[in-house]
Amino acid sequence: LDIMLDSGTALGIVSVAFHTFSGCIKGCQLLIEAADMPQNYEYLRNRLRLEELKLLDWWVVSRKETEKDVAPNDKNDAIVATLMHIQALTLDMTKIRDQYGLVLQASGYGGPQQISEDVPTELPLAGEQKAIWRKALDHAAVSWKMCPQRVRWVLFDGAKFEQLLLRFTGLNDTMLQFLQAEERRHHYKIQEETHLRVLAMHHNVGLLQQLVQALHVGATQAPPLPNKDLRRDTNTKFAKLAKLKALNMDTESSTKAHLKSNHGTAQAPVAQCIDITHISFSVEPVGRDRSAQQAVGVYSDKAVWIEWKIVDVEAMDIPFSYVVERVSRLSILLQSTEKLEELPLPICLGYILDPGLNRIGLVFEASLSTQPLVPESLHQRLQTCMKPSLSIRVAMAQKLASGLNYLHATGWLHKSLRSDNILFHGDDNNEWLSFWVSGFEYARPADPDELTEQPSSDKTHELYRHPDVQFDVPRDGPYGFRAPHDVFSLGVVLLEIAVWQPVNHFLGVSLTQRLSRAIIRKSRAQLMDDMSLSIAEAEAGHRFAEAIRLCLASEVILEQSDDVTDNGEQEHLKIGVEGNCLGDVVSILGGIDV
C-alpha cells in the first residue's frame, strides 16, 4: 500500500513504513523543542534526543525503502506496528495526556523554538543520517498538517515523562530485534559515532552532568537487551566518556564543581602526591628511547614504573608551579580511566616530585611480573621483532586510532604521540594488542585559554610533529597545539606499523648524523608522496594507506571570527575538513577485514 501526498510535492510516493517513521521524527522534534519544561528536567530532553538519534541510526542501518513498499510479511508488518507505537507515543497529544497525564498545548506555527542559549537544539547529524532526518521532516510537513509546529508544556511531571521515555527505549530495543546480526554490529558502530558527535556539542560541566543523568534514566529498570553478546551497552561507555570530559573540565576550574553519579553527588577526586621516599627504586634504564624519562620500583607492595618530566627551570617561560599543577591534573584524569577499556591508558597511582633533579614523575601501576620492568616500546619492537601478520598490524592500528579518538572526545590532547610512547605491558613478545599510550609529559586539555609548553628539544621527535608545531616556530593562530597535530602524529605511527620500521629508517635519516632542520622540514612531503604511500599500500593494503594519508593531511585552518589576536586582527582557529578526519580514519581502519 502506498500513500499519495498532495500533488506538486517533491516527495511523491512514500512507503507506509517511512510515512510512519516521519511521524515518529516529527513527534520527537515537537517534544524536544517543547517550551516551558522545568529546568531541573532538561536531562529528560537530552534522553529523548538520544532515543531519536538511535531510531535514525536504525533506519540508516536497516536500509528500509522510503519511496516504495516491500512485499507484505510478518517482519515488515511488525516493523510498521512498532513504528506506529512510537509515533503515538511522541505525536499523539491526546494519548500522551490520557496515558501519562502530561498536557501539551499548541503555541504557534513559526519555526523551531530556541530552548535556551546553552542547550544544544540541533541534532549532531552526519551524512545519510542527516538526509533521512531532513526528508522525514519534509514529508511530515505535508502529510501531518494537523500537527502544530510548536508546543508548550501546560502540565509536566518528571516521573511520568520518564515512564514515557522508558517506553520509547523499549520500543527502540524492539526495533533492533528486526536487524540481522551484522546489521546490529553496524548499528552499534554508528551509535558510537553519533555519541561522540553528541559529546562534542557539550562544552560545560553542567551540560555534561545533564547528559550523564539522561543516560542513567531507567538504567536499573531496563529489561535485558536482545542478543546482548552481540551488542554491548553503548550508554555505559558513553556515560563514562561524558564523566571523563566533565572531570577534565572540572579539574581545570579553580572552583571544584560537583560531578553527579548514580548515587547522587560526588566531588572530583584529588590528585595523589606520593612521597618519593615511599618508592623503592630499581636501577634506572639506559638506552636512547627513554633513558631520561623512566624508572621502575616498588610502591605499597606494587610494581610501578615512573615517567619523568624533566623541567628546565631556566629555559621555561611558564612558572614551575604551573607545570606541577598540569601534571597533578593529568594524574587525576589517568586515575579515572581505569575501567574504560577503550582508552589504552596505564593505571596512574599519582605523581611524585624530585626537586633535586628538577623533575616531576607520573607513577603507573606495572603489569604483573616477577620484578619491576620498564615496559617495552613499539619503537624498540620495530627494530628487534619480526614483522607481525597484517591482521595483527591492522588490529593495532584500529586500537590506537580508536583510543586517540576517545581521548580527543573527552577534550584532552596527547601532544607527544610517537612509537616510543606506545608501551607493551607483559613479558610476552608475541602479545601485540596489550599496549598503553603513554608519554603524557606534554599532554594538555584542549582549551584555547591554556598556556602551552614548548615541545622537547630532541630533534628525532620532530619527525612525528606536524610542521606547524616543529621547533620553535610560531604556532598557527593564538591557541598553540590542536587536535589535527595529534592526528598527524598518529599518521606517522600508523605508517611505521604498516611498513614495520621506525620513521627515520623509512626516510633514510641516520640518527648518528646531525639532523638538520631542512631534512625535518621536508619529511612530511616525503611521507605523503606517491612512492611512500605506495609502499604503505603494498605492505598493508589500500584502505590502511588511505587512513595514513588522511592523518598526514590533517590541518588547522584559520577563518575570520570575532576573536582578536595580539596584533589586532580578527582571527579564529577552526579545524578544517581534513583536520577533522579522525572519525573517518577510525571508520576506514574498522572496515578492514583481513
Side-chain angles (χ1 to χ4, degrees), residues 14-18 59 62-70:
V14 299
S15 67
V16 171
F18 186 75
W59 189 275
S62 69
R63 299 291 179 183
K64 293 293 292 180
E65 293 282 355
T66 61
E67 297 182 358
K68 64 180 180 179
D69 276 315
V70 296

Side-chain angles (χ1 to χ4, degrees), residues 335-367:
Q335 289 176 60
S336 69
T337 60
E338 179 177 355
K339 295 182 180 179
L340 194 60
E341 296 178 0
E342 288 74 15
L343 283 172
L345 304 178
I347 299 172
C348 184
L349 302 178
Y351 70 99
I352 56 176
L353 301 177
D354 188 1
L357 295 178
N358 289 331
R359 59 184 185 175
I360 308 169
L362 288 168
V363 181
F364 296 103
E365 185 175 319
S367 58

Side-chain angles (χ1 to χ4, degrees), residues 212-253:
V212 172
Q213 205 173 355
L215 291 165
H216 287 149
V217 170
T220 59
Q221 305 174 33
L225 296 172
N227 300 289
K228 193 172 182 179
D229 57 323
L230 297 177
R231 188 171 71 86
R232 291 179 289 170
D233 187 356
T234 57
N235 282 2
T236 299
K237 181 194 299 184
F238 190 19
K240 287 181 179 180
L241 287 171
K243 286 180 180 179
L244 186 57
K245 184 173 183 178
L247 178 60
N248 179 3
M249 294 180 173
D250 190 53
T251 55
E252 294 172 39
S253 62

Side-chain angles (χ1 to χ4, degrees), residues 16-31:
V16 171
F18 186 75
H19 174 76
T20 312
F21 171 78
S22 73
C24 299
I25 299 302
K26 174 66 175 179
C28 286
Q29 286 302 118
L30 279 175
L31 294 182

Side-chain angles (χ1 to χ4, degrees), residues 18-165:
F18 186 75
H19 174 76
T20 312
F21 171 78
S22 73
C24 299
I25 299 302
K26 174 66 175 179
C28 286
Q29 286 302 118
L30 279 175
L31 294 182
I32 287 172
E33 296 167 0
D36 297 336
M37 175 181 279
Q39 186 65 33
N40 57 320
Y41 290 112
E42 283 292 336
Y43 70 95
L44 296 177
R45 197 194 305 271
N46 267 335
R47 179 54 179 263
L48 178 59
R49 183 180 290 109
L50 293 175
E51 293 300 331
E52 180 187 14
L53 288 168
K54 188 175 180 180
L55 183 60
L56 276 166
D57 287 339
W58 179 90
W59 189 275
V60 170
V61 170
S62 69
R63 299 291 179 183
K64 293 293 292 180
E65 293 282 355
T66 61
E67 297 182 358
K68 64 180 180 179
D69 276 315
V70 296
N73 58 50
D74 291 344
K75 177 181 175 180
N76 291 325
D77 290 345
I79 288 173
V80 172
T82 306
L83 287 172
M84 290 180 69
H85 284 303
I86 296 175
Q87 175 189 296
L89 195 66
T90 58
L91 193 60
D92 189 336
M93 288 188 287
T94 300
K95 183 171 183 177
I96 293 173
R97 181 196 63 200
D98 294 344
Q99 187 167 346
Y100 296 98
L102 302 168
V103 181
L104 289 154
Q105 185 179 73
S107 63
Y109 294 88
Q113 182 170 333
Q114 184 72 25
I115 305 302
S116 74
E117 184 176 347
D118 290 330
V119 177
T121 58
E122 292 297 325
L123 294 170
L125 306 174
E128 189 176 359
Q129 188 189 49
K130 185 175 183 178
I132 292 295
W133 180 79
R134 184 71 268 165
K135 187 171 184 178
L137 289 184
D138 287 345
H139 174 71
V142 295
S143 61
W144 303 94
K145 291 183 176 180
M146 299 305 294
C147 292
Q149 292 188 20
R150 290 184 297 171
V151 296
R152 57 178 290 270
W153 289 105
V154 175
L155 181 60
F156 183 86
D157 183 288
K160 292 179 179 178
F161 191 69
E162 189 169 315
Q163 292 175 14
L164 183 151
L165 287 175

Side-chain angles (χ1 to χ4, degrees), residues 430-499:
N430 294 318
E431 178 53 63
W432 293 102
L433 298 182
S434 296
F435 63 78
W436 295 314
V437 176
S438 185
F440 291 98
E441 67 266 30
Y442 296 111
R444 73 169 182 87
D447 182 352
D449 294 326
E450 279 278 338
L451 294 174
T452 300
E453 299 169 77
Q454 293 295 319
S456 66
S457 58
D458 189 333
K459 286 190 177 181
T460 61
H461 296 171
E462 304 293 347
L463 297 174
Y464 296 88
R465 294 190 184 118
H466 191 283
D468 290 348
V469 290
Q470 286 175 339
F471 309 114
D472 55 355
V473 299
R475 308 296 178 88
D476 283 355
Y479 300 153
F481 199 92
R482 303 291 288 181
H485 301 144
D486 260 353
V487 177
F488 175 85
S489 300
L490 172 66
V492 178
V493 177
L494 292 182
L495 178 67
E496 291 182 315
I497 293 173
V499 301

